Amino acid sequence: MTEQQAHRFERGTDGPKVIVTGVDGSDSSLRAAAYASGLARRQGALLAIVYVQPVLAAGAALGAPVADTTEEIAQDLVTQIREAMKRIKGIFDIRWEFHTFRGDPYSGLVKAADDLKADAVVVGASEQAGHRFVGSVAVRLVKAGRWPVTVVP
């Protein structure tokens, strides 16, 4: 084998194929989705946008319509994403899917990343003060060490 053959570049074989990003409607999650969409566009990867619908046993016990509320949030997020994709259509083409899972955000994102065979995960930094002590979803995903994780401020 010649030196030129040994160092030949293989077009389209490197880089992520599926990028998972978690959204919950917060500013940091929407910035993470924007960052992930740029990454997916440049890499030619599928962007899997994931919303984890929280299961709040306490709210359900008090009679609060938690499932209806989280379903409304999911529908609102899908609408926002579709509108954003329409605005960039013809300028940038991004393959994307929207998925919802039920549970806590960490477990839902892990399940999504596993089920979708993610090559990378992009999440927003936590905006909650208590996470400095308990640990945010982003920190827990990084510690899991199963995918490259990008945390967007």
Side-chain angles (χ1 to χ4, degrees):
M1 192 171 352
T2 68
E3 186 176 328
Q4 186 178 18
Q5 288 174 325
H7 292 78
R8 192 172 72 203
F9 176 74
E10 294 182 53
R11 184 175 180 93
T13 58
D14 292 4
K17 302 279 188 259
V18 177
I19 298 170
V20 167
T21 186
V23 294
D24 61 8
S26 67
D27 288 344
S28 67
S29 78
L30 296 176
R31 285 191 298 270
Y35 181 88
S37 65
L39 185 60
R41 179 187 57 80
R42 288 186 299 278
Q43 296 290 331
L46 171 67
L47 177 62
I49 303 167
V50 176
Y51 170 62
V52 180
Q53 296 182 16
V55 177
L56 304 173
L62 296 172
V66 175
D68 291 344
T69 302
T70 60
E71 190 61 38
E72 286 175 23
I73 293 169
Q75 291 304 318
D76 184 49
L77 288 169
V78 169
T79 301
Q80 288 180 45
I81 293 162
R82 282 194 178 122
E83 288 172 3
M85 292 302 178
K86 281 181 191 173
R87 285 192 299 270
I88 64 169
K89 190 170 178 78
I91 301 168
F92 300 117
D93 289 322
I94 301 169
R95 293 182 306 124
W96 65 279
E97 301 173 348
F98 184 82
H99 300 270
T100 60
F101 291 86
R102 288 197 181 275
D104 70 277
Y106 171 76
S107 298
L109 285 171
V110 167
K111 179 169 178 30
D114 284 345
D115 289 357
L116 300 168
K117 298 180 179 24
D119 296 302
V121 177
V122 180
V123 292
S126 175
E127 296 177 349
Q128 296 180 5
H131 285 166
R132 286 184 223 142
F133 305 108
V134 178
S136 67
V137 171
V139 169
R140 293 172 66 194
L141 288 167
V142 169
K143 286 183 177 180
R146 294 163 64 177
W147 323 268
V149 177
T150 302
V151 182
V152 177

